[in-house]
């Protein structure tokens, strides 16, 4: 059997970095703070977070998506109607692509 390699007691093992949004100790007397970085997001990313989502290059699609810009100010109970309207506008735009052009 081989001998175990002795572990030095003088070299502390560094702790892993805290996950974003977890409490971390702050300066003495300041109380705990939060780890650096944004809080973890639950669910899929928002459209506004997607790179290049502001403009698609298709005017009708851009107009439909622009209707979602003020969603945060719309009462929650009105969200479904807004989404349905945007969906209908996008559906009509897509259907128009199948129509023969004069």
């Amino acid at each position: 059997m081989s001998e175990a390699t002795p572990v030095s007691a003088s070299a502390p093992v560094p702790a892993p970095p805290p996950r974003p949004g977890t409490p971390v100790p702050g300066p003495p007397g300041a109380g705990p703070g939060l780890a650096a970085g944004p809080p973890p997001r639950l669910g899929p990313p928002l459209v506004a977070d997607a790179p290049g989502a502001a403009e698609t290059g298709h005017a009708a699609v851009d107009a439909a998506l622009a209707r979602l810009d003020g969603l945060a100010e719309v009462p929650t109970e009105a969200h479904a109607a807004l989404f349905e309207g945007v969906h209908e506008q996008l559906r009509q735009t897509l259907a128009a692509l199948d129509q023969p052009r004069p």
Side-chain angles (χ1 to χ4, degrees):
M1 221 166 151
S2 65
E3 291 184 31
T5 305
V7 177
S8 172
S10 63
V13 177
R19 297 177 71 182
T22 58
V24 294
L34 292 178
R41 171 170 280 164
L42 302 176
L46 299 174
V47 172
D49 292 343
E55 293 184 13
T56 65
H58 192 285
V61 173
D62 291 341
L65 295 178
R67 294 175 58 192
L68 298 175
D69 287 344
L71 184 64
E73 288 78 36
V74 174
T76 305
E77 52 275 356
H79 283 188
L82 178 63
F83 288 136
E84 288 170 1
V86 170
H87 178 259
E88 180 60 22
Q89 189 173 353
L90 291 171
R91 190 193 65 72
Q92 289 176 2
T93 300
L94 185 59
L97 296 175
D98 291 335
Q99 302 300 317
R101 294 184 180 178

